Amino acid sequence: MLTSIGTTRTQDTLKLLPFIVMAVVALIDFGSGPTSGLLPLLALGPAFASVACGLTRTTVVGVVALALCVFLGLYNDILWMPRTNITMVAILGVTVASVLASAGRLRHENQLADVRSVAEAAQRVLLRPVPRRAGPGIGVAVSYTSATAEARIGGDLYEVVSTPHGVRIIVGDVQGKGLEAVETAAVVLGAFREAAHDEGTLQGVVTRLENALTRELSGEQFVTAVLAEIGGGPAITVVNCGHPPPMVLGGDGGIWFADPPDEALPLGMSSLQTSRPQPYRVPFQPGDQVLFYTDGVIEARDEEGEFYPLAERAHLLDGADPQGSLDDLRADLLRHVGRPLGDDAAMLLLRHRAAHRTSSAA
């Protein structure tokens, strides 16, 4: 939202700039007389107009520049002198060129808008809205920030699926960026949505994902992922495939990272590992929260090169609404970086609502 406001203000300034430049030139020329030689600078008006104005506004700016040139020529009694005639021809030529440039820019902006619309539609299909609940008393919130602002979609992925085996979750990060990463993310999500219903264990789901990626990936590509299952007990079953560990926020105010008991390779590298990733249990009592995230969050750097201190900002998740709390954390992440993210950043928050902790316990 802040970026949008800043962009709007910049566009408004650019639309006023041609008139400001022409007014300054006219005032200086009006005060200094014919010896100033500033009339050719009136051509800056239509030149600047092509940057942010439409066809009509650019044409109007050119007409105003030409009219000012004629008026100042009459005032200084140099209207039909060669220098003034050349200036009027230059203004006319710059105006025509600016109108053509403005038409090309508008065509490109329309094409970009179409690309964004397609990307948003693809994102709605690829990253479907997750349910706000993952069982009785368990709230869910998600946040996704793409490093490619024009596309608004990247290689990070998440999904929450209700199955006969419980609610199953995946959060992952595809190596690389661009369309290739999006295609790989689509393969992972498609395989997960099917396997989550069919397989009795998370390890079975991982095997299905590996098989799907083996058919699709080439070279040294891989996908880090963490899978979780909420079965109704006081804990969540987790399988971590080379992904950053979930952050657990206990109802008593404790904060810790649920590292897997054994390191496991990312998905797509099964040929290099000797054993399958093992499931482990993460406590999930009333009042607890579990945050899944991608490395775009913890590897985000500020201007001084400092990583985002996720654990130190965990208190931002203490709000009454899970989604509002996660939005606050995302806004803080963007403030920390102070510029567009260098990598996609996805977060998924699970909150056991029964006895949610308060900020004073953090």
Side-chain angles (χ1 to χ4, degrees):
M1 182 177 66
L2 294 177
T3 302
S4 177
I5 293 174
T7 301
T8 301
R9 290 177 178 175
T10 301
Q11 291 176 341
D12 292 340
T13 301
L14 289 175
K15 289 179 180 179
L16 291 176
L17 184 60
F19 297 101
I20 295 173
V21 170
M22 291 188 299
V24 171
V25 172
L27 288 174
I28 295 176
D29 190 87
F30 184 80
S32 59
T35 59
S36 63
L38 296 179
L39 285 183
L41 294 181
L42 290 172
L44 291 175
F48 288 159
S50 66
V51 175
C53 300
L55 299 179
T56 301
R57 195 181 187 97
T58 302
T59 303
V60 169
V61 171
V63 172
V64 171
L66 192 60
L68 283 174
C69 183
V70 172
F71 171 77
L72 291 173
L74 286 172
Y75 176 77
N76 294 317
D77 198 23
I78 57 172
L79 179 58
W80 301 116
M81 295 183 64
R83 184 180 64 180
T84 307
N85 294 339
I86 292 174
T87 298
M88 288 190 291
V89 172
I91 293 175
L92 182 61
V94 171
T95 299
V96 173
S98 297
V99 170
L100 294 176
S102 180
R105 176 180 54 81
L106 292 174
R107 190 183 310 111
H108 174 73
E109 290 177 353
N110 291 334
Q111 291 174 347
L112 182 58
D114 292 340
V115 170
R116 285 180 172 175
S117 298
V118 172
E120 289 174 351
Q123 186 177 39
R124 286 193 293 269
V125 174
L126 182 61
L127 299 178
R128 303 179 303 193
V130 302
R132 296 298 299 271
R133 295 183 179 180
I138 298 176
V140 181
V142 296
S143 170
Y144 187 96
T145 306
S146 174
T148 308
E150 291 79 6
R152 301 185 184 180
I153 192 169
D156 285 4
L157 58 96
Y158 58 80
E159 182 61 290
V160 179
V161 180
S162 295
T163 75
H165 316 287
V167 177
R168 287 179 167 174
I169 298 164
I170 184 173
V171 174
D173 183 4
V174 179
Q175 178 206 25
K177 299 178 182 179
L179 288 177
E180 189 174 8
V182 175
E183 292 172 356
T184 303
V187 171
V188 174
L189 287 173
F192 174 77
R193 288 163 182 161
E194 289 188 7
H197 288 276
D198 299 339
E199 299 295 331
T201 65
L202 285 181
Q203 285 182 306
V205 176
V206 170
T207 300
R208 290 276 292 274
L209 296 181
E210 286 282 4
N211 294 337
L213 288 173
T214 299
R215 294 190 299 267
E216 299 293 335
L217 293 184
S218 60
E220 299 179 354
Q221 292 178 311
F222 59 85
V223 180
T224 68
V226 57
L227 290 78
E229 178 180 295
I230 305 174
I236 299 175
T237 303
V238 176
V239 173
N240 193 318
C241 301
H243 198 77
M247 182 174 70
V248 182
L249 295 81
D252 58 358
I255 300 172
W256 55 284
F257 290 89
D259 293 295
D262 298 306
E263 294 293 334
L265 294 177
L267 298 171
M269 303 181 70
S270 59
S271 60
L272 301 178
Q273 62 186 11
T274 58
S275 61
R276 301 166 62 188
Q278 297 298 313
Y280 61 101
R281 306 277 282 177
V282 176
F284 194 50
Q285 302 282 351
D288 291 348
Q289 298 187 87
V290 178
L291 178 69
F292 301 90
Y293 54 90
T294 59
D295 58 10
V297 176
I298 56 175
E299 293 181 359
R301 297 173 180 260
D302 60 13
E303 294 181 353
E304 298 179 355
E306 298 292 332
F307 291 113
Y308 182 67
L310 180 59
E312 296 178 12
R313 308 298 173 84
H315 64 277
L316 295 172
L317 298 175
D318 288 331
D321 177 61
Q323 188 61 57
S325 300
L326 194 58
D327 290 342
D328 290 341
L329 185 64
R330 176 183 181 272
D332 184 71
L333 171 66
L334 296 177
R335 284 194 298 269
H336 174 82
V337 176
R339 59 186 182 280
L341 295 179
D343 192 8
D344 302 327
M347 294 182 285
L348 188 149
L349 177 67
L350 298 178
R351 172 183 291 180
H352 203 304
R353 298 174 181 270
H356 172 55
R357 67 187 184 125
T358 61
S359 298
S360 60

